[in-house]
Amino acid sequence: DQIVKKNQKYIDAFSLNRLVPKLKRYFSVMGQKVVYSVLLLYFAFKRKDTPGWAKNIIIGAIGYFLSPLDAVPDLTPFLGFTDDFGVLSFGLVAIACYINDEVRANAKKMLATFFTTVDEEMIAEIDQSL
């Protein structure tokens, strides 16, 4: 896809090696909703049948999340990730039709590596919004 080729330099930066350190560093502050949202987007991005336009939305949402420049600094307790969650939520709704059972299963599996207890109601709440 031409759109994907045009953004290859950004796509190359999308790896679990880049996401996991930030998720581990801040996961207790971000909470499960933010972490699960990032993981859903990441695994939707990795699907071969996700089209270029959807991958561009994912690039923007995860790119904003990873960016050190932020509307609300992430170090601000509780408020720091609200803008990130808003951008991630927009991305999720925009590409919801590319979040299938496999994407959800992969995201839940990885979420369990960050949290000893996963809030199933919270996950269901996000899944129902898609």
Side-chain angles (χ1 to χ4, degrees):
D1 189 91
Q2 190 174 18
I3 295 172
V4 172
K5 288 178 186 174
K6 185 176 176 182
N7 289 308
Q8 194 62 46
K9 64 182 177 183
Y10 302 109
I11 292 168
D12 291 342
F14 273 57
S15 71
L16 287 177
N17 292 335
R18 181 109 191 265
L19 281 175
V20 168
K22 182 164 184 174
L23 292 174
K24 282 186 177 180
R25 188 173 33 240
Y26 298 115
F27 77 92
S28 62
V29 176
M30 289 185 286
Q32 292 184 24
K33 282 187 174 186
V34 172
V35 174
Y36 184 60
S37 297
V38 170
L39 294 172
L40 285 172
L41 287 166
Y42 174 78
F43 287 111
F45 180 85
K46 290 298 184 179
R47 286 185 63 192
K48 290 185 188 312
D49 59 340
T50 300
W53 67 265
K55 287 186 177 192
N56 282 338
I57 290 172
I58 296 168
I59 289 168
I62 293 179
Y64 183 85
F65 172 76
L66 290 174
S67 174
L69 303 173
D70 218 331
V72 180
D74 293 338
L75 299 175
T76 307
F78 305 108
L79 296 177
F81 290 101
T82 54
D83 60 319
D84 295 85
F85 186 63
V87 171
L88 295 170
S89 296
F90 168 79
L92 284 172
V93 170
I95 61 112
C97 59
Y98 300 102
I99 297 174
N100 63 8
D101 290 338
E102 181 182 2
V103 168
R104 285 184 176 94
N106 288 332
K108 288 175 187 176
K109 182 178 177 183
M110 181 148 295
L111 184 69
T113 68
F114 293 109
F115 298 93
T116 52
T117 305
V118 174
D119 185 344
E120 296 295 332
E121 288 181 27
M122 179 279 312
I123 288 174
E125 181 182 313
I126 290 182
D127 286 340
Q128 288 172 2
S129 71
L130 302 176

